[in-house]
Amino acid sequence: MPRPTLAQKRDFVAKAFCPRALVLSTPAIADACAVNNCSTFADLLAPFGQDVSTQITIQDGQGAPYFLDKLNIKFTTDFKIEKRSTHSRTEIDDLVHTSVLDSDQTNVPFLTEHGVDASALSSDTSVWAPWYTLFRQQWMTTMQPSEHESFMHPVACVLVASGSEDDPVGALRTLQAHAAVNRVQTQGFSGANVLFYYVLVHDGRDPGVLQTIDHTFDQVRRAFGQNSSLLKINSNTDLIDADTSEQSKISSIWANTLSTTQPLDPHPDSVFGSMLNMRDVTALRDTVKQMMVRGIVPHMQYMIRVLSDQTANQRRGITGRLFSAGRRYFGTAAKASNTLTGVDGDTYFRYDSAEAQMRKLADYSFMLKDFRFAQSVYQVARRDFQSEKAWKCYAGAQEMVGVCKLMLEVHATRAEFDSNFEDAVTMYLHKTHAPCQHLAIRCIIIYYELLKHHKLYSFAPTTLLR
């Protein structure tokens, strides 16, 4: 079996730690989605957020150019920082248990009378361990935003209105004041710097609007700038028979994606996209690509440059040590203004603090696949988190240092990365205010997947037994 490519090695982790966008839409858009059996506009966009062909050259954290061939993005309809519920874990346990009972797998193909068959280990785990594939999928999908990392914090707010509305510009301005947007700006890492992207939708069921849609879109662009797109959907007004090959192909696009993004809410018999044709599918894909290439990636690049300049001295090891030493010698007043207590009782840093900005810089660099620079920033941030005894923050930085090492193409010995993951799991379970089991298990899943893709199978048992 051929060795997996570097892109394949990165794929699972890249999707787990990809950018997020909050999607809000007007009631008219909800109706346009409902006729295609999608509950939200985020669901309508979801399939096209996977492996977006960006094909652009950008700069790394040190100003050197590199080619970004593709990127993933996930769309969400809300953003909240709240204590993790055990309800989702119970659902996962029940679903995995049912999968094991329903499975007709009675043997383990990589165990033979001659020992371990490495070629079988290299095969897809869904073949010989479907319960694990299901567990991994469910666990990663039900992860929630946390104060200690910027992953799952929206980098953009996508606001969507219909061209058939009396005042599309006013409708978009109303969405800007939505409570979820306010939470992103006040509780999220992006804060007031979150990107806004605007989409005007033309519904093919309203042919009378077609003559004025271009003029309406010009009004949207004059009001909100270049981060705007015009999308035309629901062109299948003749309702092609659902049994045709084209409609079946269109429906499978959403069925395959939603089975992954909504694993606890399966849609086995649903038909999606009945009002769409292949031109609409292409338009949806192009809209997401434009959103990424013209809006989200340049915005993240800009934030990386700003944060890199702001934290340059700290990354050189100058102000970070002086800052920490000053707090220790001159009392806790500065510390009290710089740290907060999270929903789980753990210490985290104000998002405008130097420590949090370092974490954001590292996360944004990682999401844009600049793993080497991200690793260097995580290492500096880790030191500051440790000195402040912010153990959840420290564990998260340790985890990502190990991930970066295994995402890089260079060969690394076990001693170079194993201690990062072991330390992260230990801190998540034993040093935080309450055991962060969900983060510890995420760490183990990511580590196991990277070991497997690097064919370091002998390391896996110890990892899983943790």
Side-chain angles (χ1 to χ4, degrees):
M1 179 173 292
R3 182 177 177 83
T5 65
L6 186 59
Q8 290 171 325
K9 290 178 183 179
R10 294 174 173 175
D11 190 56
F12 174 78
V13 177
K15 288 181 178 179
F17 295 118
C18 71
R20 258 72 168 178
L22 175 72
V23 181
L24 299 173
S25 59
T26 63
I29 297 298
D31 178 63
C33 296
V35 297
N36 293 296
N37 209 14
C38 291
S39 57
T40 66
F41 195 75
D43 288 343
L44 195 66
L45 294 179
F48 311 103
Q50 299 185 23
D51 298 326
V52 181
S53 179
T54 49
Q55 301 293 309
I56 55 175
T57 299
I58 59 178
Q59 291 184 339
D60 65 17
Q62 297 175 319
Y66 70 101
F67 187 68
L68 188 65
D69 59 340
K70 65 179 182 179
L71 199 63
N72 298 284
I73 183 169
K74 293 184 180 179
F75 301 102
T76 181
T77 57
D78 201 359
F79 172 75
K80 292 180 180 178
I81 301 289
E82 54 190 4
K83 195 169 184 178
R84 183 176 173 86
S85 170
T86 58
H87 178 64
S88 60
R89 180 181 176 183
T90 302
E91 288 183 315
I92 292 172
D93 290 344
D94 292 343
L95 197 58
V96 171
H97 181 65
T98 301
S99 173
V100 173
L101 293 178
D102 292 343
S103 175
D104 58 2
Q105 185 73 47
T106 58
N107 66 316
V108 184
F110 58 82
L111 293 179
T112 69
E113 60 182 4
H114 303 294
V116 176
D117 181 357
S119 63
L121 280 174
S122 300
S123 65
D124 188 354
T125 54
S126 62
V127 175
W128 54 266
W131 62 268
Y132 167 73
T133 302
L134 182 62
F135 169 77
R136 179 193 67 186
Q137 175 180 307
Q138 318 294 41
W139 196 269
M140 299 304 291
T141 302
T142 56
M143 292 299 296
Q144 298 174 186
S146 174
E147 301 104 334
H148 81 291
E149 61 184 15
S150 68
F151 299 124
M152 302 188 71
H153 290 233
V155 300
C157 293
V158 180
L159 308 182
V160 192
S162 172
S164 63
E165 301 187 54
D166 294 337
D167 181 12
V169 172
L172 291 170
R173 293 195 191 282
T174 300
L175 290 175
Q176 284 181 327
H178 194 282
V181 172
N182 181 64
R183 285 193 292 272
V184 170
Q185 293 180 315
T186 58
Q187 301 176 24
F189 259 90
S190 294
N193 293 317
V194 66
L195 172 74
F196 283 93
Y197 197 92
Y198 305 88
V199 180
L200 182 69
V201 175
H202 169 64
D203 191 327
R205 297 174 299 168
D206 297 322
V209 180
L210 184 60
Q211 289 75 23
T212 61
I213 192 65
D214 290 332
H215 172 70
T216 303
F217 182 57
D218 286 340
Q219 292 180 324
V220 170
R221 297 190 74 172
R222 284 197 297 270
F224 302 110
Q226 296 299 309
N227 284 332
S228 310
S229 291
L230 173 62
L231 172 65
K232 299 179 181 180
I233 60 171
N234 292 341
S235 301
N236 185 23
T237 53
D238 295 330
L239 286 178
I240 300 172
D241 182 46
D243 291 333
T244 65
S245 59
E246 178 175 299
Q247 196 58 44
S248 177
K249 182 179 180 180
I250 290 173
S251 181
S252 67
I253 293 173
W254 278 268
N256 294 337
T257 302
L258 294 179
S259 65
T260 300
T261 59
Q262 298 179 6
L264 298 178
D265 186 22
H267 311 267
D269 302 318
S270 299
V271 176
F272 299 95
S274 58
M275 288 293 295
L276 304 175
N277 59 25
M278 291 308 296
R279 289 193 304 274
D280 294 336
V281 170
T282 299
L284 283 161
R285 181 176 292 108
D286 289 345
T287 295
V288 174
K289 181 176 179 177
Q290 289 176 8
M291 188 187 305
M292 294 293 285
V293 174
R294 296 195 323 209
I296 292 175
V297 173
H299 171 72
M300 293 180 71
Q301 277 273 277
Y302 171 75
M303 292 307 304
I304 287 172
R305 289 195 299 270
V306 171
L307 293 169
S308 183
D309 289 342
Q310 290 177 348
T311 62
N313 286 335
Q314 189 171 357
R315 286 185 288 109
R316 294 189 191 104
I318 301 173
T319 59
R321 287 195 294 268
L322 292 176
F323 189 51
S324 297
R327 282 201 296 251
R328 285 194 294 270
Y329 280 108
F330 297 107
T332 59
K335 178 179 178 181
S337 65
N338 209 36
T339 59
L340 300 169
T341 301
V343 293
D344 290 325
D346 290 296
T347 297
Y348 74 99
F349 294 89
R350 293 172 57 95
Y351 294 145
D352 59 355
S353 69
E355 292 87 349
Q357 296 296 295
M358 290 278 284
R359 175 71 203 219
K360 182 179 177 180
L361 172 61
D363 288 348
Y364 275 35
S365 298
F366 186 94
M367 286 189 275
L368 294 187
K369 302 184 180 182
D370 185 4
F371 305 119
R372 192 177 304 280
F373 180 70
Q375 178 186 336
S376 68
V377 181
Y378 283 127
Q379 288 172 327
V380 176
R382 174 185 62 185
R383 181 189 63 210
D384 290 342
F385 298 153
Q386 184 177 28
S387 68
E388 293 302 320
K389 296 181 172 54
W391 299 120
K392 190 175 182 180
C393 296
Y394 172 78
Q398 272 286 59
E399 175 186 7
M400 295 311 299
V401 168
V403 171
C404 288
K405 289 177 180 178
L406 286 173
M407 292 293 277
L408 293 169
E409 195 169 4
V410 297
H411 175 73
T413 64
R414 180 176 184 176
E416 291 181 271
F417 55 79
D418 189 68
S419 61
N420 298 122
F421 291 100
E422 182 177 8
D423 197 19
V425 170
T426 299
M427 293 293 164
Y428 280 140
L429 293 178
H430 303 298
K431 293 288 283 187
T432 53
H433 182 266
C436 297
Q437 188 180 51
H438 57 292
L439 290 170
I441 292 178
R442 181 191 72 176
C443 181
I444 293 170
I445 290 173
I446 294 292
Y447 187 22
Y448 169 68
E449 291 296 322
L450 289 171
L451 289 177
K452 187 174 62 174
H453 286 307
H454 281 282
K455 297 188 176 182
L456 300 173
Y457 305 119
S458 62
F459 300 168
T462 305
T463 300
L464 295 176
L465 285 173
R466 287 178 183 147

